Amino acid sequence: MDYKSNLIQDGNPMENLEKQLICPICLEMFTKPVVILPCQHNLCRKCANDIFQAANPYWTNRVGSVSMSGGRFRCPSCRHEVIMDRHGVYGLQRNLLVENIIDIYKQECSSRPLQKGSHPMCKEHEDEKINIYCLTCEMPTCSMCKVFGAHKACEVAPLQSVFQGQKTELSNCISMLVAGNDRVQTIITQLEDSCRMTKENSHQVKEELSQKFDVLYAILDEKKSELLQRITREQEEKLSFIEALIQQYREQLDKSTKLVETAIQSLDEPGGAIFLLSAKQLIRSIVEASKGCQLGKIEQGFENMDYFTLDLEHIADTLRAIDFGTDEEEEEFFEEEDQEEEESTEGKEEGHQ
């Protein structure tokens, strides 16, 4: 603490010093021993132990039952998290400087006379100090008000006893509130961790799902290429066969056309001897050419490719039914689909045969 700078700024150095020596928990002057936190703020060790116990209800440090693990709480002044070892607040360092300043301050205050006006006075009886507390009206008052004034019929108690009681109650409330804030902060930290884990887990399962669908895409592309190649091979075989037949028929047509031209020229021959020399062979060639027309033919429906048709409706239904589930359910589901696909393939092969 920079006591010197604070004292210079205030016109009454003793009052300002007293403010610096107030515990933020009990709101009274520090009670020795005074402990200093890692954040350099000070607490009464008793107050520090109260908020530590409130924040760590299962931590114990008794004779014969020493906790092997520490705990944590937050500084009531700056909210800095203080992590303790197994010794708890007894492991914190004492602030001997503050304790010495407290002793000097008390000695100085005891040697000074009480300043006039430092004690609040009664509004009804200006010369009377407020020295009692009205329990009925719940307000401080003076002795004259009790004897002659408005609080004559009320129940009163010494001001100091009520003062100490309410300060203790307020300190307990502060301790409870600080402990509650620590628990809320712990919950916030846990929820933030849950948010982070949720994002990480979501990203992981998204990646896994994308990989599985990529595998399905690859399988479909591979199967598609395989089936297209089979259709192409069948197409090429049929086209080769048909084109060969076309070539044979064209050759036969050329021969027949030439033979017809030769026969027509023979018919125009006026000489019987010359005609008869070639007529016999020509007739034989025409007969053989007529027999040669018995070339290969294609069967009816030869060009049909319907047997390459696929019924993928059940597979489409399977894909539409894809959903999240347990591994066992997925294995049973795919086993049933494989069995149905095998039965469908066998039926198509039998029909093709």
Side-chain angles (χ1 to χ4, degrees), residues 87-324:
H87 299 290
V89 297
Y90 295 92
L92 292 172
Q93 184 178 358
R94 289 180 62 176
N95 195 334
L96 299 178
L97 174 61
V98 173
E99 293 181 5
N100 292 334
I101 292 174
I102 291 173
D103 292 338
I104 295 172
Y105 174 80
K106 289 182 176 180
Q107 292 176 2
E108 181 68 19
C109 288
S110 62
S111 62
R112 289 190 173 195
L114 183 62
Q115 296 179 0
K116 184 176 181 182
S118 61
H119 196 287
M121 309 300 287
C122 179
K123 293 181 180 180
E124 298 294 331
H125 308 91
E126 296 179 356
D127 295 333
E128 294 292 329
K129 296 179 179 180
I130 294 179
N131 55 2
I132 60 175
Y133 187 84
C134 178
L135 299 176
T136 304
C137 301
E138 295 184 346
M139 61 178 297
T141 185
C142 71
S143 301
M144 295 298 292
C145 287
K146 170 60 180 172
V147 177
F148 304 106
H151 301 281
K152 182 166 57 175
C154 298
E155 182 181 358
V156 298
L159 187 67
Q160 191 64 25
S161 63
V162 178
F163 164 73
Q164 293 296 335
Q166 290 197 0
K167 289 197 74 171
T168 301
E169 183 180 357
L170 181 58
S171 298
N172 293 336
C173 291
I174 292 173
S175 299
M176 291 173 57
L177 185 60
V178 170
N181 290 341
D182 288 339
R183 286 192 290 271
V184 171
Q185 184 61 46
T186 301
I187 294 173
I188 291 174
T189 302
Q190 293 174 349
L191 292 176
E192 291 175 346
D193 291 340
S194 297
C195 287
R196 178 179 54 81
M197 291 301 298
T198 299
K199 292 179 180 179
E200 293 178 358
N201 293 336
S202 297
H203 178 72
Q204 179 180 352
V205 295
K206 284 180 180 179
E207 289 291 330
E208 294 175 354
L209 182 63
S210 297
Q211 292 175 2
K212 290 182 179 180
F213 271 88
D214 289 340
V215 171
L216 290 179
Y217 299 151
I219 294 173
L220 289 174
D221 287 338
E222 182 180 357
K223 195 65 178 177
K224 176 184 176 182
S225 300
E226 177 188 341
L227 296 178
L228 289 175
Q229 289 176 2
R230 287 173 57 185
I231 295 174
T232 302
R233 286 196 299 268
E234 184 71 9
Q235 172 189 337
E236 292 174 352
E237 291 176 1
K238 288 190 174 186
L239 291 178
S240 298
F241 180 74
I242 294 173
E243 290 172 354
L245 285 179
I246 292 173
Q247 184 62 30
Q248 292 175 12
Y249 277 100
R250 283 177 177 172
E251 292 175 356
Q252 180 64 32
L253 181 61
D254 291 339
K255 291 180 182 179
S256 298
T257 302
K258 291 179 181 179
L259 189 59
V260 169
E261 293 176 354
T262 303
I264 292 173
Q265 292 176 1
S266 296
L267 290 175
D268 294 337
E269 182 62 42
I274 296 176
F275 173 79
L276 291 174
L277 287 174
S278 61
K280 192 68 175 180
Q281 182 62 36
L282 187 58
I283 293 171
R284 188 181 297 113
S285 297
I286 291 175
V287 172
E288 290 179 356
S290 298
K291 293 180 180 179
C293 291
Q294 303 297 323
L295 297 176
K297 296 181 180 180
I298 60 174
E299 298 178 357
Q300 185 178 1
F302 179 81
E303 67 280 359
N304 193 356
M305 304 287 281
D306 291 344
Y307 49 86
F308 284 110
T309 302
L310 290 178
D311 181 11
L312 300 179
E313 187 61 30
H314 66 290
I315 296 179
D317 292 338
T318 300
L319 294 176
R320 293 189 191 98
I322 291 177
D323 201 351
F324 300 107

Side-chain angles (χ1 to χ4, degrees), residues 315-351:
I315 296 179
D317 292 338
T318 300
L319 294 176
R320 293 189 191 98
I322 291 177
D323 201 351
F324 300 107
T326 62
D327 294 338
E328 295 180 356
E329 292 176 351
E330 291 181 354
E331 291 177 359
E332 294 176 358
F333 179 77
F334 285 113
E335 286 177 359
E336 293 177 358
E337 293 301 325
D338 292 340
Q339 184 177 358
E340 291 179 1
E341 185 175 355
E342 291 176 359
E343 293 176 354
S344 176
T345 304
E346 292 176 356
K348 288 182 179 179
E349 292 178 352
E350 292 176 357

